[in-house]
Amino acid sequence: MADNTIPDDRSYTEEHEWVLIAPGAPLPATPVRVGITSVAAAALGDLVFLDLPEVGATITAGETCGEVESTKTVSELYPPVSGTVTAVNTTAVDDPALVTSDPYGNGWLFEVQPTAAGNLLTAAEYAEKSEA
């Protein structure tokens, strides 16, 4: 993996998803982006298909809301926050390799207007758990 850096400007889940909410910050009044981590992207390998929640769908933190499929396996997505999906990254759906090459940037998966947060970790906490 080229870049092991886990950005500390967002929060993480033990299931290898990130949400663009600073650790310890209150839930914002605006939609936040969600994606998978570089750890997950590296473990999955080349992504070939994304099954993401639809715009307008209500998702619940910790309950599966979609899948990412690679040449090796299918992995379920567990949203880090509950709320309503406001956008889906159609560029990533059309080109799933974008998620692997830029998981914290252009490879985001969907945006959600959060109503509640799940069990969120800081970058350091996530790095510790993902190495274990």
Side-chain angles (χ1 to χ4, degrees):
M1 189 167 81
D3 185 8
N4 287 354
T5 307
I6 297 171
D8 60 7
D9 64 344
R10 60 200 71 200
S11 300
Y12 299 86
T13 68
E14 288 188 38
E15 291 80 26
H16 308 290
E17 283 87 19
W18 58 261
V19 60
L20 205 46
I21 298 174
L27 290 177
T30 55
V32 292
R33 286 189 172 170
V34 173
I36 64 170
T37 67
S38 56
V39 173
L44 288 166
D46 294 329
L47 294 183
V48 294
F49 181 73
L50 302 176
D51 178 20
L52 303 177
E54 293 181 14
V55 172
T58 300
I59 57 175
T60 303
E63 292 185 11
T64 182
C65 71
E67 295 176 338
V68 291
E69 186 176 327
S70 72
T71 53
K72 296 193 274 190
T73 187
V74 174
S75 182
E76 292 187 329
L77 290 172
Y78 296 94
V81 294
S82 300
T84 303
V85 176
T86 58
V88 171
N89 187 352
T90 54
T91 305
V93 171
D94 292 342
D95 183 11
L98 191 58
V99 177
T100 308
S101 65
D102 191 11
Y104 299 113
N106 292 326
W108 61 277
L109 299 178
F110 56 90
E111 291 183 344
V112 60
Q113 177 60 59
T115 55
N119 184 22
L120 299 179
L121 307 171
T122 66
E125 290 167 337
Y126 173 72
E128 242 176 67
K129 289 185 182 294
S130 63
E131 289 170 8

